[in-house]
Amino acid sequence: MCGIVGYIGARAATPIVLHGLKQLEYRGYDSAGMAILDTDGNLQIRREEGKLANLERLVDAEPVNGSVAIGHTRWATHGPPSQRNAHPHRSPDGNIVVVQNGIVENFLELRNRLQGQGYEFASDTDTEVIVHLIHQHYHNGSNADLTLAVRRAVGELQGPSAIVVFDKAHPDRLIAARLGNAGGVVVGYGDDEMYIASDIPAILQHTRRVAFMENRQMAVITQQGAQFMDIEGQPLTLKEMEIDWDAESAEKGDFEHYMQKEIYEQGRSLTDTLRGRLNFAQNRIELDTLNLKPDVAQALEKVTIVACGTSYFAGLVGKFFIEQLARVSVEVDYASEYRYRQPLVSARQMVVAITQSGETVDTLAALEEARNGGAFTAAIVNAIGSQAARVCDGHIYMHAGPEIGVASTKAFTASLVDLLLLAIYLGQERGTLPAAEAAHLLHELSRLPGLAGELLEDARSGHLYQQLAERFHIYHNFLYLGRGINYPIALEGALKLKEISYIHAEGYPAGEMKHGPIALIDEEMPTVVVALKDRVYDKMISQVEQVKARKGLVLAVANADDQYIQSKADFIMPVPAVHEMISPILAVMPLQILAYEMACRRGEDVDQPRNLAKSVTVE
Ligand code: F6R
């Protein structure tokens, strides 16, 4: 959580940093701020409570020019959202400024000590502790060596932190440090200019040449390049990478919201997820980066999927895929639970983390637990070069492109595809998937992007979802039901609705209805069902009837050619009929659009729902 951007070069830094912050606003929007060394050599600070637009207005009213700057967008941890708690924070002499992503866990102890030594605090944040510590070390025993002072200060911090430091006395450099799983720190290489950011979209407009900093690493960044070292001061060489995302992929284009763009680009993103992975010549799946040896795949006794939120629901669908096709038992666990329950882990187990950001702190901790237990670890991950991709034995990229809307959409469908690819791969390695069935699935997967594109095109050119939103945005409670492979889709549909429109929605496995939730049904509580023509179709129809018998309204995600359900449900959200294994990937799309339109109709801030941030890098 929180986003950091830094620039050092010859160009005007203000627009570069503001644009970078815009791309990172999904990480937090409680306040925003920047520090710029102006052309007269003065260190200027601009900070504002609330969204970045407030900071932009302030910068418009009080412009500042310079070619070195750091910026920050905040998701509040220590201290409420306010201007005084907005980053950057500065040293008592006003010379050193710091932006931080993360948490100083021993903040109280350090703050008390610093206060005892005469430091006055101007904010409630833990970040201010860091800048005072740097100031203290700089003036005591570091011989005015800024890098050494930062190293010593960072050495006193507990908990995950990523920081960028600027000192007026060293105008030619920015210093960055990363401790623990504080979210990404990416250094971008330009032409006689350098960037630093929490995530790639912030700098994608300027460069695709990057290096990722790891735990306990520091960087001294000048206009000409970066020198890396560990926290102990030992020099390091970091691998440079070329990111293959295009700059437009992180922009909103003609769409009103990132979420809307990300929903409607799923035809394309699914093509990218599948690219190079379907080998029709041999009817096999290519997953080179998974690094799973055939003997390890054959010997697997258990697969555990760990994830949070939407990624967890993807995992529930993955359980169906893997158990059906690879005949190995799968447990799916919330990463936040798994990490604390002393899980049973063995060398004959594969632990798969699903994470869009690759930085979710609970998911990373769950992976560590699995690694310590000797399991083979793999990540299904979207963010290139992120921590999850780097710490695992193998990974499968989602290749969904940057996802900026806080509510996850295209990463969900990409992770479903990756899970299906993994299940087919395991099924083939373990000899549990007949060749004809594998060939059929490959064929069905190849049709998926086209079908998704048509579904989305029809939805966008029609008015169905706006009409549904018009009719239903006034309701306060919704029930979402699904069964079998589409039960997790009901959970995901309910999550989408609640997180962006703030309407209470509960997802349930349809068969559980009569064990409790049916008591809620009345004309005030619409029910959304996923009722496709699959092996549980008849059972879903009988659920629809039970809801109707209690005067409930039913909105059904149903196959477009299903005449029968049209006479049962009140409203139909059509999807094409496909192989059962592919069906969840399409069935979720109407629910994403419904949630989006409902939130728009209610006038909510779709891309930045209250209290949420996209990368959950704190517990
Ligand atoms: C919901 C949503 C969250 C994330 C969750 C995990 O729309 O986006 O529930 O799915 O915070 O994030 P990642 O996948 O980045 O680990």
Side-chain angles (χ1 to χ4, degrees), residues 291-340:
N291 298 330
L292 182 68
K293 295 205 182 79
D295 56 326
V296 179
Q298 280 148 22
L300 283 179
E301 285 171 353
K302 184 164 135 191
V303 174
T304 299
I305 299 178
V306 288
C308 302
T310 286
S311 294
Y312 170 80
F313 298 147
L316 294 178
V317 181
K319 177 179 167 74
F320 275 82
F321 291 156
I322 297 170
E323 287 190 345
Q324 296 283 313
L325 302 180
R327 306 310 294 159
V328 56
S329 132
V330 181
E331 67 172 3
V332 189
D333 216 338
Y334 285 111
S336 53
E337 291 295 320
Y338 184 83
R339 63 180 292 193
Y340 288 120

Side-chain angles (χ1 to χ4, degrees), residues 308-311 354-357 360 406-408 495-496 499 616:
C308 302
T310 286
S311 294
I354 306 172
T355 169
Q356 187 288 129
S357 62
T360 300
V406 165
S408 187
L495 177 63
K496 284 288 91 80
E499 71 182 328
V616 185

Side-chain angles (χ1 to χ4, degrees), residues 113 119 132-145 148-150 152-153 156:
R113 190 189 86 198
Y119 279 89
H132 290 340
L133 276 178
I134 296 171
H135 177 267
Q136 187 173 60
H137 285 291
Y138 187 77
H139 291 284
N140 295 305
S142 295
N143 285 331
D145 177 341
L148 185 59
V150 174
R152 289 189 168 156
E156 293 201 58

Side-chain angles (χ1 to χ4, degrees), residues 563-593:
Q563 304 291 330
Y564 183 61
I565 199 165
Q566 291 186 9
S567 61
K568 299 279 169 196
D570 298 286
F571 301 92
I572 302 291
M573 294 174 275
V575 291
V578 289
H579 191 294
E580 189 181 27
M581 295 272 173
I582 311 283
S583 67
I585 308 168
L586 293 171
V588 74
M589 293 177 186
L591 302 184
Q592 296 170 340
I593 304 170

